[in-house]
Amino acid sequence: MLFFYYINYNVIWACIVSAIVAAAAVTAFFLIKGKGKKSTDDMKPSEKKELILGIRDNAELFADLYEPLFILASGKAARKDWVFDSWNNAVNSLEGYEGFKAAFAKRFGDVASFKGKSKKYIKSADKLLKYVFKAGIERDDNETVKADENTAEKYDIIGAASLVADEEYDVFVPYWSIEKDDCETVLSKGAIR
């Protein structure tokens, strides 16, 4: 009888300890998951918030500048002056958005002082690209794509008149998009062949 009491007593404690550990793990999971889901709109007012919201709200204005910025951030600095001049011109052309314009000018407006210093351009491009990604703008990372009914909305085709359904194509230039109202909006089309 003492033997059964001893086994039951230990099983009960093992169940209690397991339940407490499981509850703690579930609570930790939801706390960590909740931290990562903080919306940009919920952030405290800051220069960072102004930059992210300004880029997100005007994503279409910068559509042709994402890929050149990505290329510059990757270390290819051949068009470094053009990239930052184009971004500055686009930002300065905005009506309103004074907080965004001021934050952008403070962080990225003084690239004229970088003359001859390609590493500074690359570092600044990388910082700006991080704000682009934080704004919810995404770059397609596919190397190949199988043509379907949505492919023509995302890519232009090089060297052919039209796409052939279910055919595999190589991606030469990726497309850029943003998620709005649970729908992907293509900002800048890519190119496939």
Side-chain angles (χ1 to χ4, degrees):
M1 187 65 111
L2 185 60
F3 177 72
F4 290 115
Y5 173 76
Y6 181 73
I7 290 175
N8 284 338
Y9 181 75
N10 285 332
V11 169
I12 291 171
W13 275 110
C15 290
I16 291 171
V17 169
S18 296
I20 291 171
V21 169
V26 168
T27 303
F29 171 78
F30 283 110
L31 287 174
I32 292 169
K33 184 179 177 187
K35 263 188 175 178
K37 292 286 184 181
K38 188 174 184 179
S39 168
T40 305
D41 295 323
D42 297 336
M43 291 173 61
K44 294 178 183 174
S46 67
E47 197 173 87
K48 178 180 178 179
K49 180 179 179 178
E50 291 291 339
L51 287 166
I52 293 169
L53 291 177
I55 292 169
R56 183 194 70 189
D57 293 348
N58 300 287
E60 291 84 8
L61 177 66
F62 308 118
D64 294 333
L65 303 177
Y66 298 127
E67 191 63 20
L69 180 68
F70 182 86
I71 291 168
L72 177 57
S74 299
K76 297 177 181 127
R79 299 176 65 194
K80 58 189 179 285
D81 290 320
W82 178 86
V83 170
F84 277 103
D85 287 344
S86 297
W87 272 89
N88 277 299
N89 290 339
V91 169
N92 291 330
S93 73
L94 290 170
E95 295 293 325
Y97 291 97
E98 299 309 318
F100 171 56
K101 290 162 90 171
F104 192 89
K106 182 177 178 185
R107 293 264 176 120
F108 305 106
D110 190 29
V111 292
S113 67
F114 295 176
K115 297 290 183 205
K117 300 175 185 170
S118 292
K119 287 184 181 181
K120 284 193 172 190
Y121 279 99
I122 294 167
K123 188 175 178 181
S124 290
D126 187 54
K127 285 181 185 177
L128 180 53
L129 190 62
K130 287 178 182 172
Y131 285 113
V132 167
F133 290 138
K134 286 179 183 178
I137 297 162
E138 298 177 357
R139 181 181 189 261
D140 174 47
D141 60 357
N142 291 324
E143 294 180 10
T144 61
V145 65
K146 191 173 189 177
D148 61 18
E149 65 273 359
N150 298 321
T151 305
E153 296 172 12
K154 298 175 182 176
Y155 299 100
D156 290 324
I157 187 164
I158 301 170
S162 63
L163 292 168
V164 177
D166 296 325
E167 189 167 318
E168 193 88 8
Y169 291 90
D170 292 323
V171 176
F172 283 88
V173 178
Y175 73 91
W176 290 78
S177 64
I178 188 168
E179 192 82 20
K180 287 186 178 181
D181 303 321
D182 296 327
C183 180
E184 180 182 50
T185 301
V186 175
L187 299 169
S188 178
K189 288 176 98 173
I192 56 176
R193 178 169 44 184

